[in-house]
Amino acid sequence: MAAVGTWAFSLAAVERVRRLMAAGNGATHCVQEAMAELENDKETGCFVVGRGGFPNKAGVVQCDAAIMEGLPGRFGAVAALPGVGIPLTVARVVMDKNTHNMLVGEGAAAFAKEQGFSIEDNNDMMSEAGLDAYEEFLENRKSTSKNHDTLGLIVLDHLGNITVGVSTSGAPFKDPGRVGDSPLPGCGLYADNRARAAAATGDGDKIMCFCPSFHVVQLMKQGEVGAASTVSFPYTFWARGMEAAEQRQSNPHTHID
């Protein structure tokens, strides 16, 4: 059993996974529950995730999220979804109950409403920090935000099943309807039936051109384990036998065999 999350702020999610695992929950449930706590917290919106995330150019918070199971290879996603503070949970329901794998925009919102989710007013999705940043954007007509993150979470359960999830409110002040790499299989996330998975974070418009998550999983078939980064990158980690989740650091060009 193990879990890994992108960025230092994912520590709470990985710790939540640890507790859920101890209670006997499977990988997919752990990903959904742990992600929802951070997605729905306006305090973590500053990390460009869920409720409290940065709005688009029209002042609307639109979220992307996806979930993928390595076995039996299921996938669900939503993109440009307005009014829902837990978009990954909607993506999970898309995976479980819809014949399609991805829904976007108003179609995603309509499906969420059909499934019992409340579609909230945009004001309830905004934080004071997000509103202040948006007003500054309107004044300067350019983004001054340095945040451009994605919450990625990979969980391996006691049965050997692996699930990966990603969630983001997207690039601050993006064009309405813009979709990044996060909800795209092979780009923002990927998992296979041999308990291998990957999640990406960064500039989604560049990431989606190279399908890095798919390629990372393919390279894992060579049997090597490693970590590499072009920048100093914090992540969080927990594995069976550890008493608590820990923060780790991947330094540029490091590699571990």
Side-chain angles (χ1 to χ4, degrees), residues 6-23:
T6 57
W7 305 101
F9 75 90
S10 69
L11 184 64
V14 174
E15 181 62 20
R16 173 71 170 149
V17 168
R18 183 187 69 80
R19 298 194 298 270
L20 288 166
M21 285 282 195

Side-chain angles (χ1 to χ4, degrees), residues 128-141:
E128 290 187 13
L131 182 58
D132 289 343
Y134 181 61
E135 290 176 350
E136 183 179 353
F137 166 74
L138 291 178
E139 182 177 345
N140 298 322
R141 299 312 301 175

Side-chain angles (χ1 to χ4, degrees), residues 166-185:
V166 293
S167 182
T168 181
S169 57
F173 322 119
K174 61 191 177 183
D175 286 341
R178 179 263 188 183
V179 177
D181 69 297
S182 295
L184 304 181

Side-chain angles (χ1 to χ4, degrees), residues 27-36 67 88 153-155 163-165:
T28 298
H29 180 76
C30 289
V31 168
Q32 177 189 329
E33 290 295 315
M35 294 278 274
I67 188 167
L88 185 122
L153 187 61
I154 301 172
V155 175
T163 299
V164 55

